[in-house]
């Protein structure tokens, strides 16, 4: 009798394992289709694939739920459905808090900031991005530099010029330490624009000229910086 029970349990667990494996495979196939459709700009299809994928996520796979919710947040954002974008962004954030992974929390917070900034709700975007920077790993200078850069843009949109410049300078320093020449040029261009908005046209022209030289050195297109330099001379 006991042997029969044990055999039955083995069969049940084997069936459950096979079912879970099939669900995982189905999820991965649908998620891959989501990525392809998103890259192609077919955001309605992206939503459809992720909605089909969700029932296949194992109940204990919080990481996958987070990735799926963030994917839906991105897709709905692109479709202009702000409410659903925020809803799924918050769900992803809740999952990441449960996981306790600082890098994932920082990413989800930055997504929420971007969604609010896109709606020109800059005060909300600012709060999310401040928290995103707090959670960003100090040893990942590329990610942290990106966060400071975006934060600077959000602050500039609110005419908080001094804070914006300070944030972009932080990004510039991190990219300089990391020897990321292309990024350094971008940060200098951002600084130039921030100084221009603050009314300090002399510093704006200096930064934009430096950005142009950096871009020339790496053989990149310099038209953006050159155009901005020309703008500063009109003031």
């Amino acid at each position: 009798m006991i042997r029969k029970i044990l055999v039955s349990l083995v069969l049940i667990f084997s069936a459950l394992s096979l079912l879970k494996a099939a669900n995982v495979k189905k999820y991965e196939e649908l998620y891959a289709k989501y990525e392809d459709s998103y890259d192609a700009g077919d955001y309605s299809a992206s939503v459809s694939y992720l909605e089909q994928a969700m029932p296949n996520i194992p109940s204990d796979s919080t990481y996958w739920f987070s990735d799926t919710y963030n994917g839906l947040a991105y897709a709905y954002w692109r479709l202009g459905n702000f409410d659903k974008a925020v809803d799924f962004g918050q769900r992803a954030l809740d999952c990441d808090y449960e996981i306790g992974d600082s890098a994932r929390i920082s990413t989800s917070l930055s997504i929420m900031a971007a969604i609010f900034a896109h709606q020109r709700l800059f005060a909300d975007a600012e709060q999310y991005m401040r928290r995103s920077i707090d959670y960003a790993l100090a040893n990942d200078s590329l990610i942290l530099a990106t966060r400071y850069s975006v934060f600077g843009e959000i602050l500039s949109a609110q005419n908080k010029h001094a804070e914006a410049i300070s944030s972009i300078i932080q990004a510039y320093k991190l990219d300089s330490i990391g020897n990321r020449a292309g990024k350094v040029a971008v940060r200098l261009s951002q600084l130039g624009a921030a100084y221009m908005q603050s009314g300090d046209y002399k510093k704006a022209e200096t930064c934009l000229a430096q950005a142009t030289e950096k871009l020339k050195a790496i053989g990149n297109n310099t038209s953006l910086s050159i155009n901005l330099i020309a703008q500063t001379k009109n003031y």
Side-chain angles (χ1 to χ4, degrees), residues 4-19:
K4 287 183 178 180
I5 293 172
L6 290 173
V7 169
S8 297
L9 288 172
V10 169
L11 290 173
I12 290 170
F13 283 122
S14 296
L16 289 174
S17 295
L18 289 172
L19 179 61

Side-chain angles (χ1 to χ4, degrees), residues 28-217:
E28 290 174 341
E29 289 174 352
L30 288 166
Y31 196 87
K33 289 180 178 180
Y34 148 72
E35 291 181 316
D36 290 341
S37 61
Y38 188 91
D39 290 341
D42 189 351
Y43 305 120
S44 293
S46 299
V47 168
S48 177
Y49 286 129
L50 288 180
E51 287 179 341
Q52 293 175 61
M54 272 199 293
N56 296 286
I57 302 175
S59 59
D60 59 346
S61 298
T62 312
Y63 283 91
W64 288 7
F65 277 111
S66 172
D67 291 341
T68 304
Y69 291 148
N70 267 334
L72 284 165
Y74 271 122
Y76 277 119
W77 171 20
R78 294 297 186 184
L79 288 169
N81 193 325
F82 174 69
D83 290 338
K84 284 196 172 182
V86 170
D87 177 42
F88 282 108
Q90 186 59 54
R91 291 193 204 184
L93 185 56
D94 291 341
C95 287
D96 292 332
Y97 279 129
E98 182 181 336
I99 293 166
D101 186 315
S102 293
R104 292 181 70 91
I105 293 170
S106 178
T107 296
S108 289
L109 285 166
S110 71
I111 291 170
M112 291 292 282
I115 292 170
F116 279 104
H118 187 72
Q119 293 297 118
R120 303 190 67 78
L121 298 172
F122 297 116
D124 292 307
E126 178 183 341
Q127 295 307 310
Y128 277 103
M129 189 54 73
R130 281 189 191 276
R131 289 160 59 197
S132 176
I133 290 171
D134 289 340
Y135 276 99
L137 298 178
N139 61 352
D140 193 339
S141 66
L142 177 59
I143 294 296
L144 193 54
T146 302
R147 300 281 191 272
Y148 275 120
S149 172
V150 174
F151 190 45
E153 297 291 340
I154 291 170
L155 291 167
S156 286
Q158 299 176 84
N159 295 320
K160 296 182 178 181
H161 302 303
E163 286 185 86
I165 289 166
S166 176
S167 187
I168 298 168
I169 287 173
Q170 287 294 328
Y172 167 79
K173 287 179 178 178
L174 288 166
D175 284 324
S176 295
I177 293 170
N179 293 316
R180 295 182 284 268
K183 293 288 187 182
V184 169
V186 171
R187 304 306 175 222
L188 285 167
S189 290
Q190 286 181 298
L191 270 175
Y195 277 123
M196 191 191 307
Q197 290 176 9
S198 74
D200 193 336
Y201 305 118
K202 184 176 179 61
K203 284 186 179 179
E205 188 167 353
T206 298
C207 288
L208 294 168
Q210 290 174 351
T212 299
E213 291 305 311
K214 288 282 185 184
L215 289 167
K216 283 181 179 177

